Amino acid sequence: MPVVAFPGQPGSIPDPATGATTAVAVERFLDSVTAATTRASYAETLARLTAGAGPTHPIAALTPEDYAAVMDRWKTAAAATWNRHLSALVSFTTWAQRQDLLATNPARRLQRRKPARRDDRAIPRTRLETLFTDPAHALREQVLWRLLYDTAARAEEILTLNVEDLDLDFRRARVVSKGGAIEYVHWATPTARLLPRLLTGRTTGPVFLADRRAPASGPRTRAAADIDPTTGRGRLSYPRAQYLFKTASAQLDPHRQGWTLHQLRHSALQHLAQAGRTAPELQAKSRHQHLASLGRYVRLGEETSARITAEHDPAARRRKR
């Protein structure tokens, strides 16, 4: 069997007949991604690329059609979902071109989609409370949704948590942020009451587990870090968690489309802003690097504008005297 060569790889023997395979290139690319949340997100997309093209398919022979076949899976998805998977393909392509594995850009025909702006991205508190307290929902989902709202964290950060990352006494967890930094997120009493019930004495492994045991072999085999050593169940995936949340929230959503996990982060930040928290406080909670980034999450709307205007109306102040 020929040895696949990568530029700069010691002891590699180039195989001019086949070149580097897509499967090996994907594996090497994922190894180069330091942020666990980003790596897990990219892996989902690139697994479809490997399966579609075939594990022995030369990476140099990838075509726009191969990439289009991957993205066809999400052609009816929301713009944010489409853009997330497209970003994975673009990042992989950029890396492969730097490694001299790809001479062309198979992603060149694909375009990012512009998200439709909706003024109601924040979920009303009363509807969230109804969703959180509905006994029809499994404990795992109740904990996940509460934790996402309490922490205002990214869904990928919470889904990649291990039990070892939790500090139950101080109600916080250690997460790997979008840029790879180690940071802490904090939760409130409702989450603190539910978490021990979910863990049931577990001290290692993923916090949120899938319903079934992880496959022991084949293309869907999980990494050891993504499997609970006691039950053999794998880590709950983002697509599955997203599906369950959208399905559960569809009846409460006026549009009957169901909400996204990211809307829990958006809602938490907007509700804090409505409660009077300052921009620096929101930045500390959300862990955004730049204050300007909070603008896409915090839009207080017309009611807040009217209240501020009324409170600062000079005539109104004179009447109060």
Side-chain angles (χ1 to χ4, degrees):
M1 182 176 181
V3 178
V4 174
F6 285 85
Q9 180 179 351
S12 60
I13 303 174
D15 180 8
T18 60
T21 66
T22 300
V24 174
V26 165
E27 183 179 354
R28 290 291 300 272
F29 166 68
L30 293 176
D31 286 343
S32 72
V33 180
T34 56
T37 53
T38 304
R39 184 168 58 249
S41 178
Y42 285 179
E44 178 193 357
T45 312
L46 297 177
R48 298 193 70 88
L49 176 64
T50 302
T56 60
H57 186 80
I59 182 175
L62 287 174
T63 66
E65 288 72 24
D66 293 322
Y67 276 33
V70 173
M71 294 304 299
D72 189 61
R73 164 66 177 79
W74 296 284
K75 63 181 180 182
T76 60
T81 301
W82 169 277
N83 292 339
R84 176 168 61 88
H85 291 289
L86 179 56
S87 293
L89 290 176
V90 171
S91 295
F92 171 65
T93 302
T94 301
W95 173 88
Q97 289 177 326
R98 286 201 305 264
Q99 301 293 321
D100 294 327
L101 300 175
L102 264 175
T104 61
N105 178 10
R108 61 185 180 272
R109 298 178 187 171
L110 298 170
Q111 295 183 339
R112 291 179 61 84
R113 294 178 177 175
K114 185 177 181 180
R117 293 195 66 85
R118 280 173 49 180
D119 294 332
D120 58 350
R121 291 196 65 193
I123 306 168
R125 288 188 189 87
T126 54
R127 297 193 180 190
L128 277 179
E129 194 59 29
T130 299
L131 186 66
F132 291 161
T133 57
D134 188 341
H137 304 312
L139 175 63
R140 180 188 65 187
E141 275 61 64
Q142 292 182 42
V143 176
L144 174 61
W145 303 341
R146 283 276 192 186
L147 190 56
L148 286 170
Y149 181 74
D150 277 359
T151 61
R154 299 174 182 87
E156 294 90 344
E157 294 172 334
I158 298 303
L159 287 170
T160 53
L161 279 176
N162 290 326
V163 180
E164 305 96 298
D165 299 321
L166 304 179
D167 186 341
L168 299 180
D169 292 334
F170 288 90
R171 297 184 177 182
R172 66 177 187 173
R174 181 179 63 242
V175 299
V176 180
S177 71
K178 201 171 184 179
I182 302 298
E183 298 176 322
Y184 284 89
V185 296
H186 302 79
W187 58 81
T189 299
T191 298
R193 290 172 176 167
L194 292 172
L195 256 178
R197 292 174 51 197
L198 177 70
L199 300 178
T200 58
R202 290 190 291 123
T203 57
T204 60
V207 173
F208 297 100
L209 298 174
D211 296 319
R212 300 177 180 178
R213 290 178 59 89
S217 61
R220 299 182 63 186
T221 304
R222 301 290 188 90
D226 291 329
I227 300 177
D228 175 45
T230 303
T231 64
R233 290 157 60 191
R235 189 184 303 276
L236 178 65
S237 69
Y238 183 101
R240 179 61 177 169
Q242 179 86 298
Y243 169 79
L244 291 172
F245 184 61
K246 286 182 71 70
T247 302
S249 60
Q251 292 302 314
L252 295 172
D253 177 14
H255 303 279
R256 294 295 185 265
Q257 297 176 358
W259 297 310
T260 66
L261 293 175
H262 182 72
Q263 282 180 270
L264 291 172
R265 172 175 166 86
H266 181 97
S267 302
L269 294 175
Q270 182 160 334
H271 294 164
L272 289 171
Q274 290 171 339
R277 293 299 181 182
T278 65
E281 287 176 322
L282 294 176
Q283 184 182 28
K285 182 67 175 177
S286 67
R287 296 167 292 114
H288 279 93
Q289 292 187 357
H290 306 288
L291 282 173
S293 302
L294 290 169
R296 60 181 294 202
Y297 296 94
V298 182
R299 300 180 64 201
L300 300 185
E302 181 183 354
E303 291 183 4
T304 302
S305 174
R307 176 177 56 80
I308 293 174
T309 303
E311 290 175 354
H312 291 271
D313 186 343
R317 288 201 296 270
R318 284 196 296 269
R319 286 196 296 271
K320 289 180 181 179
R321 294 173 186 168

